[in-house]
Amino acid sequence: MSSPQLSRRLFGLTVRQNAHPDMRRLRRQTGGASLHGNKFWKSSCLMMDYLKRHPLEKGARVLDLGCGWGLGGIFCARHFGARVTGLDADPSVFPFVHYHAELNSVSVDTWRCYYEKVTKSDLAGFDAVIGTDICFWDHLEDPLYNLTRRALQSGVQRVVLVDPGRSPFRRLAERAQNRLGADYLDWQVSRPMKAKGCIMVAES
């Protein structure tokens, strides 16, 4: 049995710490994630808190962009019975997604893809799109803005993106606010850990 210090409870989920033996084993097996999907990001708490206060419909079809460990999607599956697909360009994160999904008694599909390659036809299969800590470089602003626009045009009901407040994300959120009518919110939580940042919410 693992030490409780090697796991944490977040919004009803069990999440392993990086030092947990299972996480070390997965890193050895996968060689480590290359696109920053290699750990838990605090902004996941902002996403979970927002969705707790603004829940999805039961059974919603959810696309988790740049999913990393997939905790936002796993939260949706656990709390809303959502059918979740975790998208990431780096397939080495998927064992971490499936591990945490199983740990929390849900299942998540995974899809290796880049944002630019997600078509309107693909997006029409989802009710909600979420993403946490995914706009960390300047060149990601355009693909994520365009994906948000395609999602709304395809009938996706809600796009929710969360970030600590990096400048590329702020530009993305302001652009979506001005051109797509998105909401751009400051958000913070104090429990189960302190985190603050920004949330962009675009609705069709």
Side-chain angles (χ1 to χ4, degrees):
M1 183 174 294
S2 64
S3 165
Q5 287 78 28
L6 297 181
S7 300
R8 50 165 70 99
R9 291 287 292 175
L10 299 171
F11 295 91
L13 301 186
T14 299
V15 181
R16 298 300 194 211
Q17 305 259 34
N18 256 323
H20 190 283
D22 288 347
M23 297 296 97
R24 294 202 303 263
R25 172 180 56 80
L26 287 172
R27 284 197 297 274
R28 288 195 301 271
Q29 291 175 351
T30 62
S34 62
L35 294 175
H36 302 291
N38 59 342
K39 64 178 182 178
F40 163 77
W41 295 92
K42 279 188 179 182
S43 297
S44 296
C45 289
L46 303 178
M47 176 67 77
M48 294 179 205
D49 187 64
Y50 176 85
L51 291 174
K52 182 180 177 182
R53 297 168 187 270
H54 303 275
L56 301 177
E57 294 182 2
K58 293 293 184 182
R61 300 164 298 169
V62 176
L63 179 62
D64 186 2
L65 296 176
C67 63
W69 285 12
L71 299 180
I74 292 168
F75 175 87
C76 293
R78 179 81 177 172
H79 288 270
F80 312 125
R83 291 171 285 166
V84 178
T85 299
L87 177 150
D88 208 289
D90 181 1
S92 68
V93 303
F94 295 151
F96 296 88
V97 176
H98 294 304
Y99 174 90
H100 277 100
E102 183 177 356
L103 183 65
N104 289 283
S105 303
V106 298
S107 62
V108 172
D109 293 328
T110 51
W111 178 21
R112 183 185 186 183
C113 192
Y114 290 88
Y115 305 139
E116 300 92 327
K117 301 293 185 181
V118 180
T119 67
K120 287 184 181 180
S121 177
D122 294 326
L123 290 162
F126 296 98
D127 304 303
V129 174
I130 65 172
T132 303
D133 264 304
I134 59 174
C135 194
F136 44 83
W137 288 327
D138 290 342
H139 74 260
L140 293 170
E141 178 192 341
D142 282 348
L144 285 168
Y145 172 81
N146 290 331
L147 192 153
T148 299
R149 183 181 59 192
R150 290 197 304 276
L152 298 178
Q153 292 170 345
S154 302
V156 172
Q157 296 168 15
R158 198 188 323 177
V159 178
V160 183
L161 303 182
V162 179
D163 192 83
R166 302 177 184 90
S167 56
F169 179 84
R170 289 187 178 277
R171 289 195 300 271
L172 166 65
E174 290 169 0
R175 189 173 170 189
Q177 184 180 46
N178 293 332
R179 300 185 187 181
L180 303 176
D183 290 327
Y184 176 22
L185 313 167
D186 290 321
W187 206 268
Q188 62 181 359
V189 296
S190 57
R191 295 180 180 178
M193 64 175 59
K194 288 185 177 181
K196 62 181 180 179
C198 308
I199 299 180
M200 186 204 85
V201 183
E203 296 180 304
S204 59

